[in-house]
Amino acid sequence: EIPNNLLYFDGHFPGNPVLPGVVQIHWAVHFARAHWGQLGEFSGLEAVKFQQLILARAQVVLELEYNAEKGKLYFCYASDVGADAAPTPVNFSTGRILLNSET
């Protein structure tokens, strides 16, 4: 659950807190490194799509897949519950993070 007092909501946006995309990217890299270790330095993004806003108190699952051969980290922020409380999965954001292992 995304807490409503999260520091990253400050100024983004007053009265309607939205989790910034840069934070979503940062968290994906952070949790990937926590799971797989040092993966290399950030070198870019591919096919990043922010389909739905992540608001305070949203229930979010971060799915990660790392392809070492391609140096790509695939991420998806999703939820099992749609906006109408139907059991329909919702993707908040998806994409690929490029990691340069030549450091």
Side-chain angles (χ1 to χ4, degrees), residues 6-7 10 22 42 51 70 75 94 97 103:
L6 192 65
L7 173 68
D10 287 350
V22 68
F42 174 89
Q51 295 111 323
K70 294 183 179 181
F75 73 90
T94 60
I97 300 168
T103 55

Side-chain angles (χ1 to χ4, degrees), residues 55-71:
L55 304 174
R57 296 198 170 113
Q59 298 286 327
V60 178
V61 174
L62 172 59
E63 299 173 6
L64 297 171
E65 179 183 335
Y66 179 57
N67 184 319
E69 186 176 298
K70 294 183 179 181

Side-chain angles (χ1 to χ4, degrees), residues 24-35 37 64 73:
Q24 295 175 48
I25 301 296
H26 173 74
W27 283 355
V29 172
H30 169 81
F31 288 111
R33 287 181 176 151
H35 183 73
L64 297 171
L73 174 64

Side-chain angles (χ1 to χ4, degrees), residues 22-103:
V22 68
V23 174
Q24 295 175 48
I25 301 296
H26 173 74
W27 283 355
V29 172
H30 169 81
F31 288 111
R33 287 181 176 151
H35 183 73
W36 288 292
Q38 183 54 273
L39 303 177
E41 295 301 315
F42 174 89
S43 65
L45 299 169
E46 289 183 337
V48 175
K49 296 179 183 174
F50 297 100
Q51 295 111 323
Q52 298 287 326
L53 297 176
I54 298 178
L55 304 174
R57 296 198 170 113
Q59 298 286 327
V60 178
V61 174
L62 172 59
E63 299 173 6
L64 297 171
E65 179 183 335
Y66 179 57
N67 184 319
E69 186 176 298
K70 294 183 179 181
K72 293 183 181 184
L73 174 64
Y74 298 79
F75 73 90
C76 177
Y77 285 89
S79 175
D80 291 335
V81 179
D84 60 357
T88 305
V90 172
N91 284 346
F92 293 105
S93 60
T94 60
R96 296 183 297 271
I97 300 168
L98 307 177
L99 299 166
N100 183 351
S101 61
E102 299 176 18
T103 55

